[in-house]
Amino acid sequence: MTSYLIGLIGSGIGASLSPALHEREARFHGLHYAYRLIDLDVLGLAAEDVGDLVRTARRLGYDGLNITHPCKQTVIPHLDGLSEDAAILGAVNTVVFDGDRAIGHNTDWTGFAESFARDLPGAPTREVVQLGAGGAGVAVAHALLTLEAGRVTLVDAEPARAESLAAELARRFGPDRARAADRADQAGLATADGLVHATPTGMAHHPGLALPAELLHPGLWVADIVYLPLETELLQTARAIGCRTLDGGGMAMSQAAHSFRLFTGKEPDAARMLTHLTDLVTA
């Protein structure tokens, strides 16, 4: 039986469903597949230590790693190469060990694009406001503009990060396609078509809302990339006032499926993995 050893590096990941999601799918392919959590908080490490963790994982015989907050950008200098998508985005969520080389990939942007197209069909995207310009935010903004969003306005706790991402997106997609705002109440939400939340707020260990609830209105669709819990406070609040909503489950499943393919060369069953994820979240 073919064996794989995979890890997830990130902060506060003790509740992650990635191990069970990957291992369940692997069983359908007849693989011996072990997925381990490498939690910075448990180890007392910082994002800057990710390079040492990658090198240690390679020495210990890992076949690959998933990378999550806060390491999606800090991991890049410690890799031997990047896929085209990861190089364009400047963010990595998947590392594949190929002999002595560690190659970074990004499956976040395709994961969000697939989920959005599947679960919010026909949603208008003339003006979209996005909260968060970190590693996941980079991928989501790229996905929105690839899906022909007219313009994305970025808001981040670090305004310089939003400005930097907006400038890069404008260079890539056109000068009028991206801009930055200092705060959510300055981002034009009153006339926007949609809101995407791409920060850790709302996760099990970061509860709450990333913006004042009074900024939401029924004319918005609201998408959250948080998947644990699926029903974040943001989505509950938005749905209560009549917004169409998109939870983070579809993105989590799709990015995991793409990562599983990179790790194993096997074609995952996306519908089956979504069922896995739904069962795991419900449990």
Side-chain angles (χ1 to χ4, degrees), residues 228-240:
L228 196 62
L230 282 176
E231 279 290 306
T232 61
E233 185 176 345
L234 173 62
L235 294 185
Q236 291 173 351
T237 304
R239 195 175 296 113

PDB file of all heavy atoms in Angstrom, residues 228-240:
ATOM      1  N   LEU A 228     -14.716  26.856   9.927  1.00  0.00           N
ATOM      2  CA  LEU A 228     -14.906  26.244  11.240  1.00  0.00           C
ATOM      3  C   LEU A 228     -15.054  27.355  12.271  1.00  0.00           C
ATOM      4  O   LEU A 228     -14.073  27.920  12.716  1.00  0.00           O
ATOM      5  CB  LEU A 228     -13.713  25.349  11.586  1.00  0.00           C
ATOM      6  CG  LEU A 228     -13.922  24.352  12.724  1.00  0.00           C
ATOM      7  CD1 LEU A 228     -15.014  23.366  12.366  1.00  0.00           C
ATOM      8  CD2 LEU A 228     -12.626  23.615  13.034  1.00  0.00           C
ATOM      9  N   PRO A 229     -16.309  27.725  12.573  1.00  0.00           N
ATOM     10  CA  PRO A 229     -17.557  27.080  12.167  1.00  0.00           C
ATOM     11  C   PRO A 229     -18.011  27.517  10.775  1.00  0.00           C
ATOM     12  O   PRO A 229     -17.602  28.584  10.291  1.00  0.00           O
ATOM     13  CB  PRO A 229     -18.550  27.567  13.212  1.00  0.00           C
ATOM     14  CG  PRO A 229     -18.049  28.954  13.545  1.00  0.00           C
ATOM     15  CD  PRO A 229     -16.541  28.856  13.489  1.00  0.00           C
ATOM     16  N   LEU A 230     -18.858  26.694  10.149  1.00  0.00           N
ATOM     17  CA  LEU A 230     -19.450  27.098   8.875  1.00  0.00           C
ATOM     18  C   LEU A 230     -20.386  28.292   9.067  1.00  0.00           C
ATOM     19  O   LEU A 230     -20.455  29.180   8.219  1.00  0.00           O
ATOM     20  CB  LEU A 230     -20.221  25.929   8.252  1.00  0.00           C
ATOM     21  CG  LEU A 230     -19.409  24.843   7.558  1.00  0.00           C
ATOM     22  CD1 LEU A 230     -20.333  23.732   7.085  1.00  0.00           C
ATOM     23  CD2 LEU A 230     -18.611  25.406   6.390  1.00  0.00           C
ATOM     24  N   GLU A 231     -21.129  28.274  10.160  1.00  0.00           N
ATOM     25  CA  GLU A 231     -22.062  29.357  10.461  1.00  0.00           C
ATOM     26  C   GLU A 231     -21.358  30.387  11.335  1.00  0.00           C
ATOM     27  O   GLU A 231     -21.472  30.368  12.560  1.00  0.00           O
ATOM     28  CB  GLU A 231     -23.304  28.813  11.164  1.00  0.00           C
ATOM     29  CG  GLU A 231     -24.330  28.217  10.232  1.00  0.00           C
ATOM     30  CD  GLU A 231     -25.013  29.274   9.382  1.00  0.00           C
ATOM     31  OE1 GLU A 231     -25.555  30.241   9.931  1.00  0.00           O
ATOM     32  OE2 GLU A 231     -24.978  29.128   8.144  1.00  0.00           O
ATOM     33  N   THR A 232     -20.604  31.280  10.712  1.00  0.00           N
ATOM     34  CA  THR A 232     -19.928  32.327  11.471  1.00  0.00           C
ATOM     35  C   THR A 232     -20.942  33.383  11.895  1.00  0.00           C
ATOM     36  O   THR A 232     -22.052  33.470  11.364  1.00  0.00           O
ATOM     37  CB  THR A 232     -18.834  32.986  10.626  1.00  0.00           C
ATOM     38  OG1 THR A 232     -19.444  33.583   9.474  1.00  0.00           O
ATOM     39  CG2 THR A 232     -17.788  31.972  10.182  1.00  0.00           C
ATOM     40  N   GLU A 233     -20.538  34.202  12.838  1.00  0.00           N
ATOM     41  CA  GLU A 233     -21.414  35.300  13.268  1.00  0.00           C
ATOM     42  C   GLU A 233     -21.715  36.232  12.103  1.00  0.00           C
ATOM     43  O   GLU A 233     -22.832  36.751  11.981  1.00  0.00           O
ATOM     44  CB  GLU A 233     -20.762  36.072  14.419  1.00  0.00           C
ATOM     45  CG  GLU A 233     -21.651  37.147  15.014  1.00  0.00           C
ATOM     46  CD  GLU A 233     -21.028  37.846  16.216  1.00  0.00           C
ATOM     47  OE1 GLU A 233     -20.047  37.321  16.771  1.00  0.00           O
ATOM     48  OE2 GLU A 233     -21.531  38.930  16.587  1.00  0.00           O
ATOM     49  N   LEU A 234     -20.736  36.446  11.230  1.00  0.00           N
ATOM     50  CA  LEU A 234     -20.960  37.299  10.061  1.00  0.00           C
ATOM     51  C   LEU A 234     -22.070  36.738   9.181  1.00  0.00           C
ATOM     52  O   LEU A 234     -22.981  37.466   8.762  1.00  0.00           O
ATOM     53  CB  LEU A 234     -19.665  37.432   9.250  1.00  0.00           C
ATOM     54  CG  LEU A 234     -19.793  38.154   7.901  1.00  0.00           C
ATOM     55  CD1 LEU A 234     -20.251  39.587   8.101  1.00  0.00           C
ATOM     56  CD2 LEU A 234     -18.480  38.101   7.132  1.00  0.00           C
ATOM     57  N   LEU A 235     -22.010  35.455   8.871  1.00  0.00           N
ATOM     58  CA  LEU A 235     -23.018  34.870   7.995  1.00  0.00           C
ATOM     59  C   LEU A 235     -24.389  34.843   8.662  1.00  0.00           C
ATOM     60  O   LEU A 235     -25.415  35.085   8.008  1.00  0.00           O
ATOM     61  CB  LEU A 235     -22.602  33.457   7.580  1.00  0.00           C
ATOM     62  CG  LEU A 235     -21.354  33.359   6.701  1.00  0.00           C
ATOM     63  CD1 LEU A 235     -21.136  31.917   6.261  1.00  0.00           C
ATOM     64  CD2 LEU A 235     -21.440  34.275   5.478  1.00  0.00           C
ATOM     65  N   GLN A 236     -24.438  34.554   9.946  1.00  0.00           N
ATOM     66  CA  GLN A 236     -25.713  34.573  10.656  1.00  0.00           C
ATOM     67  C   GLN A 236     -26.331  35.967  10.627  1.00  0.00           C
ATOM     68  O   GLN A 236     -27.536  36.124  10.374  1.00  0.00           O
ATOM     69  CB  GLN A 236     -25.507  34.126  12.106  1.00  0.00           C
ATOM     70  CG  GLN A 236     -25.148  32.664  12.252  1.00  0.00           C
ATOM     71  CD  GLN A 236     -24.778  32.303  13.682  1.00  0.00           C
ATOM     72  OE1 GLN A 236     -24.630  33.182  14.535  1.00  0.00           O
ATOM     73  NE2 GLN A 236     -24.620  31.018  13.955  1.00  0.00           N
ATOM     74  N   THR A 237     -25.507  36.982  10.853  1.00  0.00           N
ATOM     75  CA  THR A 237     -25.994  38.364  10.859  1.00  0.00           C
ATOM     76  C   THR A 237     -26.469  38.775   9.477  1.00  0.00           C
ATOM     77  O   THR A 237     -27.530  39.402   9.321  1.00  0.00           O
ATOM     78  CB  THR A 237     -24.885  39.310  11.345  1.00  0.00           C
ATOM     79  OG1 THR A 237     -24.430  38.900  12.634  1.00  0.00           O
ATOM     80  CG2 THR A 237     -25.370  40.742  11.413  1.00  0.00           C
ATOM     81  N   ALA A 238     -25.686  38.402   8.456  1.00  0.00           N
ATOM     82  CA  ALA A 238     -26.046  38.765   7.082  1.00  0.00           C
ATOM     83  C   ALA A 238     -27.331  38.071   6.633  1.00  0.00           C
ATOM     84  O   ALA A 238     -28.215  38.688   6.022  1.00  0.00           O
ATOM     85  CB  ALA A 238     -24.901  38.404   6.144  1.00  0.00           C
ATOM     86  N   ARG A 239     -27.444  36.800   6.952  1.00  0.00           N
ATOM     87  CA  ARG A 239     -28.629  36.052   6.527  1.00  0.00           C
ATOM     88  C   ARG A 239     -29.891  36.576   7.210  1.00  0.00           C
ATOM     89  O   ARG A 239     -30.964  36.602   6.617  1.00  0.00           O
ATOM     90  CB  ARG A 239     -28.433  34.569   6.813  1.00  0.00           C
ATOM     91  CG  ARG A 239     -29.427  33.667   6.095  1.00  0.00           C
ATOM     92  CD  ARG A 239     -29.116  32.208   6.301  1.00  0.00           C
ATOM     93  NE  ARG A 239     -27.826  31.836   5.731  1.00  0.00           N
ATOM     94  CZ  ARG A 239     -26.772  31.455   6.439  1.00  0.00           C
ATOM     95  NH1 ARG A 239     -26.852  31.368   7.757  1.00  0.00           N
ATOM     96  NH2 ARG A 239     -25.642  31.141   5.838  1.00  0.00           N
ATOM     97  N   ALA A 240     -29.736  37.029   8.445  1.00  0.00           N
ATOM     98  CA  ALA A 240     -30.887  37.528   9.201  1.00  0.00           C
ATOM     99  C   ALA A 240     -31.496  38.775   8.572  1.00  0.00           C
ATOM    100  O   ALA A 240     -32.685  39.050   8.767  1.00  0.00           O
ATOM    101  CB  ALA A 240     -30.484  37.812  10.649  1.00  0.00           C
TER     102      ALA A 240
END
